[in-house]
Amino acid sequence: MGEETRCNDITVIDSNSTPFRIAPLKHCLKAPSGPLAYLITTVCLGALLFGVVWSIAEKECYPGGNLFGIIILFLCTVCGGKLVGLIQLPTLPPFPPLLGMLLAGLVLRNVPYVTEAVHIEQTWSAALRNIALAIILTRAGLGLDPSVQTDRQTHRQSVS
């Protein structure tokens, strides 16, 4: 008859005389894992995202354009945050990644050649700062405990 292959309780029968019976092989195929697979996946997704954005807004993605500056700023701040997060001194607590992000922003703004290549217009910068402020305030508001707020409100009413 045909040849049988077993893979995690799924049987696939290969026969020359009858049509193939295709069974799902989800359990046989495993997604790659590890740091190299993560790096390759991240680079491929980043390239795909950049390609999509470039196909929509061509000149803004070139060096000197707003989108190019935002992408470079984002990548540098993430790398700076990761690098500072890795620094561990024996007598000090670990440095927060936000410190690395701030340092990366300072370097990008104050190095002369980099400042010319990574340019973000004032209107875009103001809009991004407003969005960041809204996100920070929303996260701070979501972090509040509603029961504490109601206790404070009832305490204020009893004092008045």
Side-chain angles (χ1 to χ4, degrees):
M1 188 158 156
E3 208 177 296
E4 285 191 12
T5 307
R6 286 198 157 278
C7 179
N8 291 343
D9 299 326
I10 296 176
T11 303
V12 178
I13 300 173
D14 182 11
S15 174
N16 294 335
S17 60
T18 61
F20 295 111
R21 190 186 98 188
I22 299 172
L25 296 175
K26 288 190 273 187
H27 301 290
C28 292
L29 305 174
K30 293 184 179 179
S33 60
L36 181 63
Y38 176 76
L39 179 68
I40 291 171
T41 303
T42 305
V43 168
C44 289
L45 285 175
L48 180 67
L49 178 65
F50 182 76
V52 168
V53 171
W54 179 72
S55 68
I56 295 170
E58 295 176 5
K59 294 184 180 179
E60 290 292 326
C61 290
Y62 295 148
N66 289 319
L67 291 176
F68 180 81
I70 291 169
I71 290 170
I72 295 299
L73 178 67
F74 176 74
L75 292 175
C76 289
T77 56
V78 167
C79 291
K82 296 265 186 201
L83 288 175
V84 168
L86 293 175
I87 297 174
Q88 299 217 350
L89 298 174
T91 58
L92 296 174
F95 293 117
L98 184 61
L99 179 65
M101 293 178 177
L102 289 171
L103 290 174
L106 286 172
V107 168
L108 285 176
R109 180 53 69 191
N110 294 317
V111 174
Y113 179 72
V114 177
T115 303
E116 295 169 6
V118 181
H119 176 72
I120 302 171
E121 289 181 16
Q122 189 67 28
T123 55
W124 285 57
S125 177
L128 289 174
R129 275 187 263 128
N130 286 336
I131 291 170
L133 179 64
I135 291 171
I136 290 168
L137 292 176
T138 303
R139 290 186 68 184
L142 291 175
L144 295 176
D145 189 8
S147 62
V148 172
Q149 297 298 322
T150 55
D151 290 344
R152 285 185 180 178
Q153 189 176 20
T154 57
H155 178 68
R156 285 183 192 157
Q157 289 174 355
S158 64
V159 171
S160 315

